[in-house]
Amino acid sequence: PGADRQALIHQIIGYTYALKSHLRTEVKLDAVVSWFPQSMAAHFEQSTNVPVAILQHMGDSYRSAWKDGRIEPYHLPVLEASLTALTDIQGKCERIKNTPVPLSYTMLTHRLVAIYCLALPFGIVTEIGTLTPLVVAIISYAFLGLDSVGTQLEDPFELDPNDLPLAALARTIERNLLERIDLEDLPGPIKPVKGILE
């Protein structure tokens, strides 16, 4: 039925925004609860892991629809498998977020790069001569840049310029799903600000 299809799509969109907020440790859930009945808002706000609560709610909804005969018996395993896939994806994202590079490794790489850059001029000055400062500057820039990028990529879900544009991805998923229920007044895509997508 159309109402079930619309509710399913709204739940998936709500889950998408909940996962974005969860990975970015955002407290506000306005973009999440707006996709669910008002009675569910308080339940989600009390949960420590809102995306998991939504997946459980979706699973309960599928079971209820199956018991009422609104879902074909052979569709239920497919829908439940999709929830399992979403759970696996969320778990992988959480492992990336919650498993930082050990501090000892980060400190070691910083120190090695610094020592290398400081010692480099003494190793090449006899070969290069007056061009030593230029060559050292170029090589040091490359090594220090790689070291900095590695630190920034440690958590790809934040709001740094090199991080994943989760808000833009969530909006794209929202637009694609709303098209499935023939909604014509779609929200616009998120545009980059100063060349950076949020």
Side-chain angles (χ1 to χ4, degrees):
D4 286 335
R5 188 163 174 255
Q6 180 173 322
L8 169 61
I9 285 176
H10 284 191
Q11 290 170 4
I12 296 172
I13 294 172
Y15 172 78
T16 302
Y17 281 104
L19 182 58
K20 175 196 79 85
S21 297
H22 180 67
L23 293 174
R24 286 190 169 167
T25 323
E26 296 172 346
V27 178
K28 283 185 152 185
L29 296 176
D30 298 344
V32 177
V33 297
S34 63
W35 296 102
F36 295 90
Q38 193 65 34
S39 58
M40 296 299 301
H43 173 69
F44 292 148
E45 288 173 353
Q46 293 172 357
S47 176
T48 55
N49 193 319
V50 177
V52 168
I54 292 174
L55 289 175
Q56 182 176 356
H57 170 70
M58 291 171 68
D60 294 341
S61 298
Y62 297 163
R63 283 279 170 183
S64 176
W66 170 70
K67 286 180 180 178
D68 295 342
R70 292 178 284 124
I71 291 180
E72 295 292 337
Y74 52 83
H75 285 164
L76 182 62
V78 176
L79 291 171
E80 289 184 333
S82 69
L83 295 183
T84 302
L86 289 174
T87 304
D88 290 343
I89 291 168
Q90 179 178 335
K92 290 173 183 176
C93 291
E94 287 175 339
R95 280 195 294 277
I96 292 171
K97 180 175 180 62
N98 298 324
T99 310
V101 175
L103 180 61
S104 57
Y105 175 83
T106 304
M107 289 177 60
L108 179 63
T109 55
H110 288 343
R111 289 174 181 171
L112 286 175
V113 168
I115 291 170
Y116 178 81
C117 292
L118 290 173
L120 182 62
F122 301 104
I124 64 173
V125 67
T126 55
E127 297 292 329
I128 300 179
T130 56
L131 291 177
T132 298
L134 177 62
V135 173
V136 168
I138 294 171
I139 294 175
S140 297
Y141 176 80
F143 274 89
L144 293 170
L146 288 172
D147 189 35
S148 176
V149 168
T151 302
Q152 288 186 25
L153 294 179
E154 185 178 343
D155 184 354
F157 305 116
E158 297 300 325
L159 290 167
D160 294 326
N162 292 320
D163 289 332
L164 295 171
L166 296 184
L169 292 171
R171 176 62 62 83
T172 300
I173 292 170
E174 176 187 353
R175 287 169 52 84
N176 291 341
L177 289 174
L178 290 177
E179 285 180 347
R180 303 284 66 82
I181 54 175
D182 301 321
L183 188 69
E184 294 181 0
D185 188 17
L186 297 175
I190 292 180
K191 296 183 179 177
V193 177
K194 295 181 179 178
I196 299 172
L197 274 174
E198 181 186 346

